[in-house]
Amino acid sequence: MAEHIIEREEDAVCFLSYALDGSWDDSDIVKFSGWPKFELIISGEKFDGGVPTRIMPLLIEVQRLLNNIYARQKYGKRKRLSQEERSAIEIIVRLSDEHSTYFGVDLDKVLNGVCKEGIKKMSGTQITIVILSIAIIIGGHQIAKLHYQDLADERNLELSLEQSAREQQTLERIQQAANRSDDIKMLLSELGAVYELLIKKLEPEDELIVGEEAIVNGAIAKKLTRKPREAAIETRKDGRFKIQSVDTQAIEGGFRLKVKQVGLDEKPFVVDIPPNTLNEEQID
């Protein structure tokens, strides 16, 4: 049996690769030392080591996520943690730099304890894949970048959160782990939701920093959290209609009509008339 010390993300990715590729000895164990840490910084005029009330509910969600991860891995289900356990994974808040508040928690001892419990329920390879994946996901910033880039792409926004070649390789390994573990799939989904919540209350001048890398500012965050518009569905409806109102300002060069079909007990609906389709005499 060999004990492998994990002091940084590169170590974790290396040993995760061994486990995923079938090169891991089931009797070997990993031990975290000084890493990982869940860390993020929010900078802005109102962040001087404190937490504006608009951020507090979001911070509670982050703490809940960490508690649930711990409970699922140690006990196999969500459950109320003891005071000692909650204290071990309690997020610490402190001043980072001027107008910057740090939120973080050291997770090395916690994950070492979870690993000892997990080995009783899973093979050495299985627990190694799960525990190293959790460490990389929570201790890194790639998932935050990936999530915000996906949000931007869905909304056709210009946002360039490029992943380096090493980061891409890390994400590929995490995806492989997720394909083997429902726990990792659930964690990725939950963390994505938390990252989205984190930016909902940012003001335009605020900035979110994950893993020492500035990810998004408040101005971009507002666009990212706005629901994408659903594509309009074009339909044809024949019959006689009564025009209830005409809006000449809604569509440049065209009209927006509110109409109701004559003889049918249906709600009125809106019809957009493109430019150069009808003139005002035809509408009258």
Side-chain angles (χ1 to χ4, degrees):
M1 180 185 79
E3 182 179 80
H4 303 281
I5 305 300
I6 311 294
E7 297 180 316
R8 54 188 180 276
E9 182 179 290
E10 290 82 354
D11 298 336
V13 175
C14 176
F15 292 124
L16 175 61
S17 298
Y18 288 155
L20 288 168
D21 293 341
S23 303
W24 187 261
D25 189 323
D26 254 0
S27 65
D28 286 0
I29 60 172
V30 295
K31 182 177 181 180
F32 298 94
S33 177
W35 185 89
K37 299 180 181 182
F38 176 80
E39 296 178 304
L40 59 88
I41 294 171
I42 302 179
S43 63
E45 190 66 30
K46 297 178 182 178
F47 291 89
D48 278 315
V51 186
T53 54
R54 59 188 161 91
I55 299 295
M56 288 180 181
L58 312 181
L59 188 59
I60 291 171
E61 288 302 315
V62 177
Q63 186 67 69
R64 183 179 290 122
L65 172 65
L66 295 176
N67 291 354
N68 287 341
I69 293 168
Y70 178 86
R72 282 202 303 264
Q73 296 310 312
K74 185 170 183 179
Y75 301 109
K77 62 181 180 179
R78 294 185 181 185
K79 64 166 289 183
R80 183 174 178 81
L81 303 180
S82 68
Q83 179 59 46
E84 183 180 358
E85 289 172 323
R86 291 199 302 272
S87 178
I89 51 177
E90 184 178 28
I91 295 174
I92 303 301
V93 180
R94 60 175 170 78
L95 177 67
S96 176
D97 294 308
E98 186 178 4
H99 303 311
S100 295
T101 298
Y102 167 94
F103 307 86
V105 54
D106 294 335
L107 294 172
D108 51 352
K109 293 182 177 62
V110 171
L111 289 181
N112 285 336
V114 169
C115 196
K116 288 180 182 178
E117 293 295 322
I119 203 69
K120 302 174 184 177
K121 307 166 191 173
M122 293 183 271
S123 71
T125 299
Q126 288 174 325
I127 188 61
T128 298
I129 290 173
V130 170
I131 210 71
L132 290 178
S133 297
I134 290 173
I136 294 166
I137 291 169
I138 295 179
H141 59 272
Q142 296 95 330
I143 302 303
K145 289 171 67 175
L146 180 64
H147 184 72
Y148 293 136
Q149 187 64 61
D150 285 346
L151 288 179
D153 293 343
E154 288 173 9
R155 291 155 176 75
N156 294 317
L157 299 174
E158 290 188 9
L159 181 65
S160 181
L161 294 173
E162 295 183 0
Q163 306 273 8
S164 67
R166 183 177 63 81
E167 289 171 336
Q168 287 283 7
Q169 291 172 356
T170 299
L171 288 173
E172 289 171 6
R173 288 303 192 179
I174 291 299
Q175 186 57 58
Q176 290 175 17
N179 292 338
R180 297 192 187 189
S181 169
D182 289 339
D183 279 346
I184 301 305
K185 287 180 185 175
M186 187 182 298
L187 173 57
L188 289 171
S189 175
E190 290 175 334
L191 190 58
V194 166
Y195 277 136
E196 195 163 341
L197 277 173
L198 275 172
I199 62 173
K200 279 189 173 181
K201 296 298 183 180
L202 294 185
E203 293 185 350
E205 70 276 7
D206 296 340
E207 190 170 53
L208 175 66
I209 300 166
V210 182
E212 299 183 355
E213 182 169 347
I215 305 294
V216 293
N217 59 39
I220 295 173
K222 187 174 182 180
K223 297 177 181 178
L224 291 178
T225 54
R226 186 182 300 146
K227 288 187 177 180
R229 289 185 60 183
E230 295 182 4
I233 301 175
E234 293 187 7
T235 59
R236 174 177 175 137
K237 197 166 186 176
D238 296 318
R240 296 177 61 236
F241 301 90
K242 181 178 180 180
I243 298 174
Q244 295 186 333
S245 66
V246 179
D247 186 348
T248 59
Q249 304 297 318
I251 299 175
E252 187 175 353
F255 307 92
R256 175 164 290 168
L257 311 180
K258 185 178 181 181
V259 302
K260 186 178 188 303
Q261 190 161 6
V262 176
L264 294 180
D265 187 20
E266 293 183 350
K267 291 183 179 180
F269 57 92
V270 173
V271 179
D272 289 341
I273 309 296
N276 305 317
T277 303
L278 298 176
N279 58 40
E280 293 187 22
E281 289 183 2
Q282 289 174 306
I283 293 176
D284 292 339

